[in-house]
Coordinates of all heavy atoms in Angstrom, one line a residue:
M15 N -10.3 40.2 23.2 CA -10.5 39.5 21.9 C -11.4 38.3 22.2 O -11.2 37.5 23.0 CB -9.2 39.1 21.3 CG -9.4 38.1 20.1 SD -9.5 39.0 18.5 CE -7.8 39.0 17.9
D16 N -12.5 38.2 21.4 CA -13.4 37.0 21.5 C -12.9 35.9 20.5 O -12.8 36.2 19.4 CB -14.8 37.4 21.2 CG -15.4 38.1 22.4 OD1 -15.0 37.9 23.5 OD2 -16.4 38.9 22.1
Y17 N -12.7 34.8 21.1 CA -12.4 33.7 20.2 C -13.6 32.8 20.1 O -14.4 32.7 21.0 CB -11.2 32.8 20.7 CG -9.9 33.6 20.6 CD1 -9.4 34.3 21.6 CD2 -9.3 33.6 19.3 CE1 -8.2 35.0 21.5 CE2 -8.1 34.3 19.2 CZ -7.5 35.0 20.3 OH -6.4 35.6 20.1
Q18 N -13.7 32.1 19.0 CA -14.8 31.2 18.8 C -14.4 30.0 18.0 O -13.5 30.1 17.2 CB -16.1 31.8 18.2 CG -15.8 32.5 16.9 CD -17.0 33.2 16.3 OE1 -18.1 33.1 16.9 NE2 -16.9 33.8 15.1
L19 N -15.1 28.9 18.3 CA -14.8 27.6 17.6 C -16.0 27.4 16.6 O -17.1 27.4 17.0 CB -14.7 26.5 18.6 CG -14.4 25.1 18.0 CD1 -13.0 25.1 17.4 CD2 -14.4 24.1 19.2
E20 N -15.6 27.3 15.4 CA -16.7 27.2 14.4 C -16.4 26.2 13.3 O -15.3 26.1 12.9 CB -16.9 28.6 13.7 CG -18.3 28.8 13.3 CD -18.7 30.2 13.0 OE1 -18.0 31.1 13.5 OE2 -19.5 30.4 12.1
N21 N -17.4 25.4 12.9 CA -17.2 24.5 11.8 C -17.6 25.2 10.5 O -18.8 25.4 10.3 CB -18.1 23.3 12.0 CG -18.0 22.3 10.9 OD1 -17.2 22.5 9.9 ND2 -18.8 21.2 10.9
L22 N -16.7 25.7 9.8 CA -16.9 26.5 8.6 C -17.7 25.7 7.6 O -18.4 26.3 6.7 CB -15.6 27.0 8.0 CG -14.9 28.1 8.9 CD1 -13.8 28.8 8.1 CD2 -15.9 29.1 9.5
M23 N -17.6 24.4 7.6 CA -18.3 23.6 6.6 C -19.8 23.9 6.7 O -20.5 23.9 5.8 CB -18.0 22.1 6.8 CG -18.4 21.2 5.6 SD -17.8 21.8 4.0 CE -16.2 21.0 4.0
E24 N -20.3 24.1 8.0 CA -21.7 24.4 8.2 C -22.1 25.6 7.5 O -23.2 25.7 6.9 CB -21.9 24.5 9.7 CG -22.3 23.3 10.5 CD -22.6 23.6 11.9 OE1 -23.3 24.6 12.2 OE2 -22.1 22.9 12.8
N25 N -21.3 26.7 7.7 CA -21.6 27.9 7.0 C -21.7 27.8 5.5 O -22.6 28.3 4.9 CB -20.6 29.0 7.3 CG -20.4 29.2 8.8 OD1 -20.3 28.3 9.6 ND2 -20.3 30.5 9.2
I26 N -20.8 27.0 5.0 CA -20.7 26.9 3.5 C -21.9 26.1 3.0 O -22.5 26.5 2.0 CB -19.4 26.2 3.1 CG1 -18.2 27.1 3.5 CG2 -19.3 26.0 1.6 CD1 -16.8 26.4 3.4
V27 N -22.2 25.0 3.7 CA -23.3 24.1 3.2 C -24.6 24.9 3.3 O -25.4 24.8 2.5 CB -23.3 22.8 4.0 CG1 -24.5 22.0 3.8 CG2 -22.1 22.0 3.6
L28 N -24.8 25.6 4.4 CA -26.0 26.4 4.6 C -26.2 27.4 3.5 O -27.2 27.6 2.9 CB -26.0 27.1 5.9 CG -27.3 27.9 6.3 CD1 -28.5 27.0 6.3 CD2 -27.1 28.6 7.6
E29 N -25.1 28.1 3.1 CA -25.1 29.1 2.1 C -25.5 28.4 0.7 O -26.3 29.0 0.0 CB -23.7 29.8 2.0 CG -23.8 31.1 1.3 CD -22.4 31.9 1.5 OE1 -22.2 32.2 2.7 OE2 -21.7 32.0 0.6
K30 N -24.9 27.3 0.5 CA -25.1 26.6 -0.8 C -26.5 26.1 -0.8 O -27.2 26.1 -1.9 CB -24.1 25.4 -0.9 CG -23.8 25.0 -2.3 CD -23.0 26.0 -2.9 CE -22.7 25.7 -4.4 NZ -22.1 26.8 -5.1
Y31 N -27.0 25.6 0.3 CA -28.4 25.1 0.4 C -29.3 26.2 0.0 O -30.2 26.1 -0.8 CB -28.8 24.7 1.8 CG -30.2 24.4 2.0 CD1 -30.8 23.2 1.7 CD2 -31.0 25.5 2.5 CE1 -32.2 23.0 1.9 CE2 -32.4 25.3 2.6 CZ -33.0 24.1 2.3 OH -34.3 23.9 2.5
N32 N -29.1 27.4 0.5 CA -30.0 28.6 0.3 C -29.9 29.0 -1.2 O -30.9 29.4 -1.8 CB -29.6 29.8 1.1 CG -30.0 29.6 2.6 OD1 -31.1 29.0 2.8 ND2 -29.3 30.1 3.5
S33 N -28.8 28.8 -1.9 CA -28.7 29.2 -3.3 C -29.3 28.1 -4.2 O -29.6 28.4 -5.3 CB -27.2 29.5 -3.6 OG -26.5 28.3 -3.7
M34 N -29.4 26.9 -3.7 CA -29.9 25.8 -4.6 C -31.4 25.4 -4.3 O -32.0 24.7 -5.1 CB -29.0 24.6 -4.4 CG -27.6 24.7 -5.0 SD -26.6 23.3 -4.6 CE -27.3 22.0 -5.6
K35 N -31.9 25.8 -3.1 CA -33.2 25.2 -2.7 C -34.3 25.5 -3.6 O -35.2 24.7 -3.9 CB -33.5 25.7 -1.3 CG -33.8 27.2 -1.2 CD -34.1 27.6 0.2 CE -34.4 29.1 0.2 NZ -34.4 29.7 1.5
D36 N -34.4 26.7 -4.2 CA -35.5 27.1 -5.1 C -35.5 26.2 -6.3 O -36.6 25.9 -6.8 CB -35.4 28.5 -5.5 CG -35.8 29.5 -4.3 OD1 -36.4 29.0 -3.4 OD2 -35.4 30.6 -4.3
E37 N -34.4 25.8 -6.8 CA -34.3 24.9 -8.0 C -34.5 23.4 -7.6 O -35.2 22.7 -8.4 CB -33.0 25.1 -8.7 CG -32.9 24.5 -10.1 CD -31.6 24.8 -10.8 OE1 -30.9 25.7 -10.3 OE2 -31.4 24.2 -11.8
F38 N -34.0 23.0 -6.5 CA -33.9 21.5 -6.2 C -34.8 21.0 -5.1 O -35.2 19.8 -5.1 CB -32.5 21.1 -5.9 CG -31.5 21.3 -7.1 CD1 -30.7 22.4 -7.2 CD2 -31.4 20.3 -8.0 CE1 -29.8 22.5 -8.3 CE2 -30.6 20.4 -9.1 CZ -29.8 21.5 -9.2
A39 N -35.1 21.8 -4.1 CA -35.8 21.3 -3.0 C -37.3 21.1 -3.3 O -38.0 22.0 -3.8 CB -35.7 22.2 -1.8
R40 N -37.8 19.9 -3.0 CA -39.2 19.6 -3.2 C -40.0 20.2 -2.0 O -41.2 20.4 -2.1 CB -39.5 18.1 -3.3 CG -38.9 17.6 -4.6 CD -39.3 16.1 -4.8 NE -38.2 15.4 -5.5 CZ -38.2 14.1 -5.6 NH1 -39.3 13.4 -5.2 NH2 -37.2 13.5 -6.2
C41 N -39.4 20.3 -0.9 CA -40.0 20.8 0.3 C -39.0 21.7 1.0 O -37.8 21.3 1.1 CB -40.5 19.7 1.2 SG -41.2 20.4 2.7
Q42 N -39.4 22.9 1.4 CA -38.4 23.8 2.0 C -38.8 24.0 3.5 O -38.4 25.0 4.1 CB -38.4 25.1 1.3 CG -37.8 25.0 -0.1 CD -37.6 26.4 -0.8 OE1 -37.5 27.4 -0.1 NE2 -37.5 26.4 -2.1
C43 N -39.5 23.1 4.1 CA -39.8 23.3 5.5 C -38.6 23.1 6.4 O -37.6 22.6 5.9 CB -40.9 22.3 6.0 SG -40.4 20.6 6.2
E44 N -38.6 23.5 7.6 CA -37.4 23.5 8.5 C -37.0 22.0 8.7 O -35.8 21.8 8.7 CB -37.8 24.1 9.8 CG -37.9 25.6 9.8 CD -36.6 26.3 9.7 OE1 -35.8 26.3 10.6 OE2 -36.3 26.9 8.6
Q45 N -37.9 21.1 8.8 CA -37.5 19.7 9.1 C -36.7 19.2 7.9 O -35.7 18.6 8.1 CB -38.8 18.9 9.3 CG -38.5 17.5 9.8 CD -39.7 16.7 10.2 OE1 -40.8 16.9 9.6 NE2 -39.6 15.8 11.1
C46 N -37.2 19.3 6.7 CA -36.5 18.9 5.5 C -35.2 19.6 5.3 O -34.2 19.0 5.0 CB -37.3 19.0 4.2 SG -38.8 17.9 4.2
K47 N -35.2 20.9 5.6 CA -34.0 21.7 5.5 C -32.9 21.1 6.4 O -31.8 20.8 5.9 CB -34.3 23.1 5.9 CG -33.0 24.0 6.0 CD -33.4 25.4 6.4 CE -32.2 26.2 6.7 NZ -32.5 27.6 7.1
Y48 N -33.2 20.8 7.7 CA -32.2 20.3 8.6 C -31.8 18.9 8.3 O -30.7 18.5 8.5 CB -32.6 20.6 10.0 CG -32.3 22.1 10.4 CD1 -33.3 23.0 10.3 CD2 -31.0 22.5 10.6 CE1 -33.1 24.3 10.6 CE2 -30.7 23.8 10.8 CZ -31.8 24.8 10.8 OH -31.5 26.1 11.1
D49 N -32.8 18.1 7.8 CA -32.4 16.7 7.4 C -31.4 16.8 6.2 O -30.5 16.0 6.2 CB -33.7 16.0 6.9 CG -34.5 15.4 8.1 OD1 -34.0 15.4 9.2 OD2 -35.6 15.0 7.9
I50 N -31.6 17.7 5.3 CA -30.7 17.8 4.2 C -29.3 18.3 4.6 O -28.3 17.7 4.3 CB -31.3 18.8 3.1 CG1 -32.5 18.1 2.4 CG2 -30.2 19.3 2.2 CD1 -33.3 19.1 1.6
L51 N -29.3 19.3 5.5 CA -28.0 19.8 6.0 C -27.3 18.7 6.8 O -26.1 18.6 6.6 CB -28.3 21.0 6.9 CG -28.8 22.3 6.2 CD1 -29.1 23.4 7.2 CD2 -27.9 22.7 5.1
A52 N -28.0 17.9 7.6 CA -27.3 16.9 8.4 C -26.8 15.8 7.4 O -25.6 15.3 7.6 CB -28.3 16.2 9.3
F53 N -27.6 15.4 6.4 CA -27.1 14.4 5.4 C -25.8 14.9 4.8 O -24.8 14.1 4.7 CB -28.2 14.3 4.4 CG -27.9 13.3 3.3 CD1 -28.3 12.0 3.3 CD2 -27.1 13.7 2.1 CE1 -28.0 11.1 2.3 CE2 -26.8 12.9 1.1 CZ -27.2 11.5 1.2
V54 N -25.8 16.1 4.3 CA -24.6 16.6 3.6 C -23.4 16.8 4.6 O -22.3 16.3 4.3 CB -24.9 18.0 3.0 CG1 -23.7 18.6 2.4 CG2 -26.0 17.8 1.9
L55 N -23.7 17.3 5.8 CA -22.5 17.6 6.7 C -21.9 16.3 7.2 O -20.7 16.2 7.6 CB -23.0 18.4 7.9 CG -23.2 19.9 7.5 CD1 -24.0 20.7 8.5 CD2 -21.9 20.6 7.2
N56 N -22.7 15.2 7.3 CA -22.2 13.9 7.7 C -21.3 13.3 6.6 O -20.5 12.3 6.9 CB -23.3 12.9 8.0 CG -23.8 13.1 9.4 OD1 -23.1 13.6 10.3 ND2 -25.1 12.8 9.6
R57 N -21.3 13.8 5.4 CA -20.5 13.2 4.3 C -19.4 14.1 3.9 O -18.6 13.7 3.0 CB -21.5 13.0 3.1 CG -22.3 11.7 3.3 CD -23.5 11.7 2.4 NE -24.2 10.4 2.7 CZ -25.0 10.2 3.7 NH1 -25.1 11.2 4.6 NH2 -25.6 9.1 3.9
L58 N -19.2 15.2 4.6 CA -18.1 16.1 4.2 C -17.2 16.3 5.5 O -17.7 16.2 6.6 CB -18.7 17.5 3.8 CG -19.4 17.4 2.4 CD1 -20.2 18.7 2.2 CD2 -18.4 17.3 1.3
P59 N -16.0 16.6 5.3 CA -15.1 16.7 6.5 C -15.4 18.0 7.2 O -15.7 19.0 6.6 CB -13.7 16.8 5.9 CG -13.9 17.3 4.5 CD -15.2 16.7 4.0
P60 N -15.5 17.9 8.6 CA -15.7 19.2 9.3 C -14.5 20.0 9.2 O -13.4 19.5 9.0 CB -15.9 18.7 10.7 CG -15.3 17.4 10.8 CD -15.4 16.8 9.4
K61 N -14.7 21.3 9.2 CA -13.5 22.2 9.1 C -13.6 23.2 10.3 O -14.2 24.3 10.2 CB -13.5 23.0 7.8 CG -13.3 22.1 6.6 CD -11.8 21.7 6.6 CE -11.6 20.7 5.5 NZ -10.2 20.1 5.5
Y62 N -13.0 22.8 11.4 CA -13.1 23.7 12.6 C -11.9 24.7 12.6 O -10.8 24.3 12.3 CB -13.0 22.8 13.9 CG -14.3 22.1 14.2 CD1 -14.5 20.8 13.9 CD2 -15.4 22.9 14.7 CE1 -15.7 20.2 14.1 CE2 -16.6 22.2 14.9 CZ -16.8 20.9 14.6 OH -17.9 20.3 14.9
F63 N -12.3 25.9 13.0 CA -11.3 26.9 13.1 C -11.5 27.7 14.4 O -12.7 28.0 14.8 CB -11.3 27.9 11.9 CG -10.8 27.2 10.7 CD1 -11.7 26.7 9.8 CD2 -9.4 27.2 10.4 CE1 -11.2 26.1 8.6 CE2 -9.0 26.6 9.2 CZ -9.9 26.0 8.3
V64 N -10.4 28.1 15.1 CA -10.5 29.0 16.2 C -10.0 30.3 15.6 O -8.8 30.4 15.2 CB -9.7 28.6 17.4 CG1 -9.8 29.6 18.5 CG2 -10.1 27.2 17.9
T65 N -10.8 31.3 15.6 CA -10.3 32.5 14.9 C -11.2 33.7 15.2 O -12.2 33.5 15.9 CB -10.2 32.3 13.4 OG1 -9.6 33.5 12.8 CG2 -11.5 32.0 12.8
D66 N -10.8 34.8 14.8 CA -11.6 36.0 14.9 C -12.4 36.2 13.6 O -12.0 35.6 12.6 CB -10.8 37.2 15.3 CG -9.8 37.5 14.3 OD1 -8.7 36.8 14.3 OD2 -10.0 38.4 13.5
K67 N -13.4 37.0 13.6 CA -14.3 37.2 12.5 C -13.6 37.4 11.1 O -13.9 36.8 10.1 CB -15.3 38.3 12.7 CG -16.4 37.9 13.7 CD -17.4 37.0 12.9 CE -18.6 36.7 13.9 NZ -19.4 35.6 13.3
G68 N -12.6 38.4 11.1 CA -12.0 38.8 9.9 C -11.3 37.6 9.2 O -11.6 37.4 8.0
A69 N -10.5 36.9 9.9 CA -9.8 35.7 9.3 C -10.8 34.6 8.9 O -10.6 33.9 7.9 CB -8.8 35.2 10.4
L70 N -11.9 34.6 9.6 CA -12.9 33.5 9.3 C -13.4 33.7 7.9 O -13.6 32.7 7.2 CB -14.1 33.7 10.3 CG -14.9 32.5 10.6 CD1 -14.0 31.5 11.4 CD2 -16.1 32.8 11.5
Y71 N -13.7 34.9 7.5 CA -14.3 35.1 6.2 C -13.3 34.8 5.0 O -13.7 34.3 4.0 CB -14.9 36.5 6.0 CG -16.1 36.6 6.9 CD1 -16.2 37.6 7.9 CD2 -17.2 35.8 6.7 CE1 -17.3 37.7 8.7 CE2 -18.3 35.9 7.5 CZ -18.4 36.8 8.5 OH -19.5 36.9 9.3
A72 N -12.0 35.0 5.3 CA -11.0 34.7 4.3 C -10.9 33.2 4.1 O -10.9 32.7 3.0 CB -9.6 35.2 4.7
K73 N -11.0 32.4 5.2 CA -11.0 31.0 5.2 C -12.2 30.5 4.4 O -12.2 29.5 3.7 CB -11.0 30.4 6.6 CG -9.8 30.6 7.4 CD -8.8 29.5 7.3 CE -7.7 29.6 8.3 NZ -6.4 29.1 7.8
L74 N -13.3 31.1 4.7 CA -14.6 30.7 4.1 C -14.5 30.7 2.6 O -14.9 29.8 1.9 CB -15.7 31.7 4.6 CG -17.1 31.2 4.6 CD1 -17.3 30.0 5.5 CD2 -18.0 32.3 5.1
D75 N -14.0 31.8 2.0 CA -13.8 31.9 0.6 C -13.0 30.8 0.1 O -13.3 30.1 -0.9 CB -13.2 33.2 0.2 CG -14.1 34.4 0.3 OD1 -15.4 34.1 0.4 OD2 -13.7 35.5 0.2
F76 N -11.9 30.5 0.7 CA -10.9 29.5 0.3 C -11.6 28.1 0.3 O -11.5 27.4 -0.6 CB -9.7 29.5 1.2 CG -8.8 28.4 1.0 CD1 -7.9 28.5 -0.2 CD2 -8.7 27.3 1.8 CE1 -7.0 27.4 -0.4 CE2 -7.8 26.3 1.5 CZ -7.0 26.3 0.4
L77 N -12.3 27.8 1.4 CA -13.0 26.5 1.5 C -14.1 26.4 0.6 O -14.4 25.3 0.1 CB -13.5 26.3 3.0 CG -12.4 26.0 4.0 CD1 -13.0 26.0 5.4 CD2 -11.8 24.6 3.7
T78 N -14.8 27.4 0.3 CA -16.0 27.4 -0.6 C -15.5 26.9 -2.0 O -16.1 26.1 -2.6 CB -16.6 28.8 -0.7 OG1 -17.1 29.2 0.6 CG2 -17.8 28.7 -1.7
I79 N -14.3 27.5 -2.4 CA -13.8 27.1 -3.7 C -13.3 25.6 -3.7 O -13.6 24.8 -4.6 CB -12.6 28.0 -4.1 CG1 -13.2 29.4 -4.3 CG2 -11.9 27.5 -5.3 CD1 -12.1 30.5 -4.3
E80 N -12.6 25.3 -2.6 CA -12.1 23.9 -2.5 C -13.1 22.8 -2.5 O -13.0 21.8 -3.1 CB -11.2 23.8 -1.3 CG -10.4 22.5 -1.2 CD -9.5 22.4 0.0 OE1 -9.4 23.3 0.8 OE2 -9.0 21.3 0.2
F81 N -14.2 23.1 -1.8 CA -15.2 22.0 -1.6 C -16.5 22.2 -2.4 O -17.4 21.4 -2.3 CB -15.6 21.9 -0.2 CG -14.5 21.2 0.6 CD1 -13.6 22.0 1.4 CD2 -14.3 19.9 0.7 CE1 -12.6 21.4 2.1 CE2 -13.3 19.3 1.4 CZ -12.4 20.0 2.1
D82 N -16.5 23.2 -3.3 CA -17.7 23.5 -4.0 C -18.4 22.3 -4.7 O -19.5 22.0 -4.6 CB -17.5 24.7 -5.0 CG -18.8 25.2 -5.6 OD1 -19.6 25.8 -4.9 OD2 -19.0 25.0 -6.8
A83 N -17.6 21.6 -5.5 CA -18.1 20.5 -6.3 C -18.7 19.4 -5.4 O -19.7 18.8 -5.7 CB -17.1 20.0 -7.3
A84 N -17.9 19.1 -4.4 CA -18.3 18.0 -3.4 C -19.6 18.4 -2.7 O -20.5 17.6 -2.6 CB -17.2 17.7 -2.4
I85 N -19.8 19.6 -2.3 CA -21.0 20.1 -1.6 C -22.2 20.1 -2.6 O -23.3 19.6 -2.2 CB -20.8 21.5 -1.1 CG1 -19.7 21.5 0.0 CG2 -22.1 22.1 -0.5 CD1 -19.2 22.9 0.5
V86 N -22.0 20.5 -3.8 CA -23.1 20.5 -4.8 C -23.6 19.0 -5.0 O -24.8 18.8 -5.0 CB -22.7 21.2 -6.1 CG1 -23.7 20.9 -7.2 CG2 -22.5 22.7 -5.9
T87 N -22.6 18.1 -5.2 CA -22.9 16.7 -5.4 C -23.7 16.2 -4.3 O -24.8 15.5 -4.5 CB -21.6 15.9 -5.6 OG1 -20.9 16.5 -6.7 CG2 -21.9 14.4 -5.9
E88 N -23.3 16.4 -3.1 CA -24.0 15.8 -1.9 C -25.3 16.5 -1.7 O -26.3 15.8 -1.3 CB -23.1 16.0 -0.6 CG -21.8 15.2 -0.6 CD -22.0 13.7 -0.8 OE1 -23.1 13.2 -0.5 OE2 -21.1 13.0 -1.3
L89 N -25.4 17.8 -2.0 CA -26.7 18.5 -1.8 C -27.7 17.9 -2.8 O -28.9 17.7 -2.4 CB -26.5 20.0 -2.0 CG -26.3 20.8 -0.7 CD1 -25.8 22.2 -1.1 CD2 -27.5 20.8 0.2
I90 N -27.3 17.7 -4.0 CA -28.3 17.2 -5.0 C -28.8 15.8 -4.5 O -30.0 15.5 -4.6 CB -27.6 17.1 -6.4 CG1 -27.5 18.6 -6.9 CG2 -28.4 16.3 -7.4 CD1 -26.7 18.7 -8.2
K91 N -27.9 15.0 -4.0 CA -28.3 13.7 -3.5 C -29.3 13.8 -2.3 O -30.3 13.1 -2.2 CB -27.1 12.9 -2.9 CG -26.3 12.0 -3.9 CD -25.3 11.2 -3.2 CE -23.9 11.4 -3.7 NZ -22.9 10.8 -2.9
A92 N -29.0 14.8 -1.5 CA -29.8 15.0 -0.3 C -31.2 15.6 -0.7 O -32.2 15.1 -0.2 CB -29.1 16.0 0.7
F93 N -31.2 16.5 -1.6 CA -32.5 17.0 -2.1 C -33.4 15.9 -2.6 O -34.6 15.8 -2.4 CB -32.3 18.1 -3.2 CG -31.9 19.4 -2.7 CD1 -30.8 20.1 -3.2 CD2 -32.7 20.1 -1.7 CE1 -30.4 21.3 -2.7 CE2 -32.3 21.4 -1.3 CZ -31.2 22.0 -1.8
E94 N -32.7 15.0 -3.4 CA -33.4 13.9 -4.0 C -33.9 12.9 -2.9 O -35.1 12.5 -2.9 CB -32.4 13.2 -5.0 CG -33.0 12.0 -5.7 CD -34.2 12.3 -6.5 OE1 -34.2 13.4 -7.1 OE2 -35.1 11.4 -6.6
M95 N -33.0 12.5 -2.0 CA -33.4 11.5 -1.0 C -34.4 12.0 0.0 O -35.5 11.4 0.2 CB -32.1 11.1 -0.3 CG -32.2 9.7 0.2 SD -30.7 9.3 1.2 CE -31.2 10.1 2.7
I96 N -34.2 13.2 0.5 CA -35.1 13.7 1.5 C -36.4 14.2 0.9 O -37.5 14.1 1.4 CB -34.5 14.8 2.4 CG1 -33.5 14.1 3.4 CG2 -35.5 15.6 3.2 CD1 -32.1 14.4 3.3
G97 N -36.3 14.7 -0.3 CA -37.4 15.2 -1.1 C -38.4 14.1 -1.4 O -39.6 14.3 -1.4
S98 N -37.9 12.9 -1.7 CA -38.7 11.8 -2.1 C -39.2 11.0 -0.9 O -40.0 10.1 -1.0 CB -38.0 10.9 -3.1 OG -36.9 10.3 -2.6
N99 N -38.6 11.3 0.2 CA -38.9 10.5 1.5 C -38.8 11.4 2.7 O -38.0 11.2 3.6 CB -38.0 9.3 1.6 CG -38.5 8.4 2.7 OD1 -39.7 8.3 3.0 ND2 -37.6 7.6 3.2
P100 N -39.7 12.4 2.7 CA -39.6 13.4 3.9 C -40.1 12.7 5.2 O -40.9 11.7 5.1 CB -40.5 14.5 3.5 CG -41.5 13.9 2.5 CD -40.7 12.8 1.8
R101 N -39.7 13.2 6.3 CA -40.1 12.6 7.6 C -41.5 13.1 8.0 O -41.9 12.9 9.1 CB -39.1 12.9 8.7 CG -37.8 12.1 8.4 CD -36.9 12.1 9.7 NE -36.4 13.4 10.0 CZ -36.3 13.8 11.3 NH1 -36.7 13.0 12.3 NH2 -35.9 15.0 11.6
H102 N -42.2 13.7 7.1 CA -43.6 14.2 7.5 C -44.5 13.8 6.3 O -44.0 13.3 5.2 CB -43.6 15.7 7.7 CG -43.0 16.5 6.6 ND1 -43.6 16.6 5.3 CD2 -41.8 17.2 6.5 CE1 -42.9 17.4 4.5 NE2 -41.8 17.7 5.2
E103 N -45.8 14.0 6.5 CA -46.7 13.7 5.4 C -46.4 14.5 4.2 O -46.0 15.7 4.3 CB -48.1 14.0 5.9 CG -48.7 13.2 7.0 CD -48.8 11.7 6.6 OE1 -49.3 11.5 5.4 OE2 -48.4 10.8 7.3
K104 N -46.4 13.8 3.0 CA -46.2 14.6 1.8 C -47.4 15.5 1.5 O -48.5 15.2 1.6 CB -46.1 13.7 0.6 CG -44.7 12.9 0.6 CD -44.6 12.0 -0.6 CE -43.4 11.0 -0.3 NZ -43.1 10.1 -1.5
S105 N -47.0 16.8 1.2 CA -48.1 17.7 0.8 C -48.0 17.9 -0.7 O -47.0 18.2 -1.2 CB -47.9 19.0 1.6 OG -46.6 19.6 1.3
S106 N -49.1 17.8 -1.3 CA -49.1 18.0 -2.8 C -50.5 18.5 -3.2 O -51.5 18.4 -2.5 CB -48.7 16.8 -3.5 OG -49.6 15.7 -3.2
Ligands
LIG9 ZN1 -40.6 19.2 4.5

């Protein structure tokens, strides 16, 4: 049996980022993407689990529901902040 240590919050935030980026992201480059993910992940509690794959997905559903509103709120802030002040030249 392979065990792994995973921060499920990362999976959830990444999934949420992908579902919101087309509507909210002013720039979807890798740099802005990871700046946004870091911003959000620093403001939400990490959720580490040691588990096998099957159990992981059950937890994922549960956490997605529990933290959905908080993640959306932080993501919108991050899109706004990093979008208006990217670490690279603005392209327009
Ligand atoms: Zn960018």
Side-chain angles (χ1 to χ4, degrees):
M15 171 89 95
D16 284 336
Y17 288 99
Q18 55 182 359
L19 184 63
E20 206 165 334
N21 179 5
L22 291 193
M23 192 56 84
E24 268 183 46
N25 303 45
I26 299 169
V27 169
L28 181 60
E29 201 168 292
K30 206 72 184 172
Y31 169 88
N32 285 328
S33 73
M34 290 172 72
K35 67 181 180 193
D36 287 340
E37 190 175 351
F38 292 98
R40 292 187 214 173
C41 177
Q42 293 188 20
C43 78
E44 288 287 290
Q45 189 173 33
C46 291
K47 172 182 171 176
Y48 282 99
D49 280 347
I50 286 165
L51 295 177
F53 177 96
V54 172
L55 285 166
N56 279 332
R57 282 162 181 75
L58 291 165
K61 292 290 174 187
Y62 284 102
F63 289 95
V64 178
T65 183
D66 60 283
K67 283 282 183 192
L70 209 64
Y71 290 120
K73 294 265 192 213
L74 203 61
D75 282 349
F76 175 75
L77 284 171
T78 300
I79 293 163
E80 186 179 353
F81 286 98
D82 190 66
I85 293 167
V86 168
T87 302
E88 295 301 338
L89 266 170
I90 286 172
K91 272 190 236 166
F93 281 128
E94 177 61 31
M95 211 184 78
I96 285 120
S98 62
N99 191 22
R101 289 197 293 143
H102 54 70
E103 292 297 315
K104 288 183 195 183
S105 59
S106 59

